Amino acid sequence: MSSPIDDTPPVASARPNVGYWRANLCVIVIMMLIWATVSFGCSVFFVKPLNAWHFGSLPLGFWFGHQGAMYVFVVLVFSYAWIMDYLDKKYGVKE
């Protein structure tokens, strides 16, 4: 017969995950800052200075607003998956 206290998970097993989640949150914050800078900064706030340059035949601010921000978002998704695979191996986390 066991008491309800025996059903709680050991505290020592949760400690290694603190570093994993701290690294995960750091990656998420950096990715969100890059995404916000590119999607809002380059296509809304800095569009006039960026339009001084051209990417192909399109002004750069226009290109970021219509295509560039999506390309950067896709790169961020693949980068996040690659970084999380690295962190999973580093901290021994299995799915």
Side-chain angles (χ1 to χ4, degrees):
M1 186 169 193
S2 64
S3 66
I5 295 174
D6 294 335
D7 295 335
T8 58
V11 176
S13 67
R15 296 300 296 163
N17 290 338
V18 172
Y20 174 77
W21 285 110
R22 185 172 293 148
N24 187 5
L25 288 176
C26 183
V27 169
I28 289 172
V29 167
I30 290 170
M31 297 278 180
M32 293 294 284
L33 287 174
I34 292 171
W35 174 78
T37 301
V38 170
S39 63
F40 291 113
C42 292
S43 62
V44 177
F45 298 123
F46 307 117
V47 68
K48 288 186 179 180
L50 287 174
N51 280 341
W53 294 296
H54 286 76
F55 185 80
S57 61
L58 299 173
L60 191 58
F62 178 82
W63 185 82
F64 267 111
H66 286 83
Q67 296 177 357
M70 290 184 285
Y71 290 141
V72 171
F73 181 74
V74 170
V75 168
L76 287 176
V77 168
F78 284 110
S79 299
Y80 179 75
W82 183 78
I83 291 170
M84 289 311 297
D85 280 344
Y86 170 76
L87 290 177
D88 287 349
K89 291 175 186 170
K90 180 179 178 181
Y91 288 98
V93 177
K94 300 190 188 301
E95 295 178 39

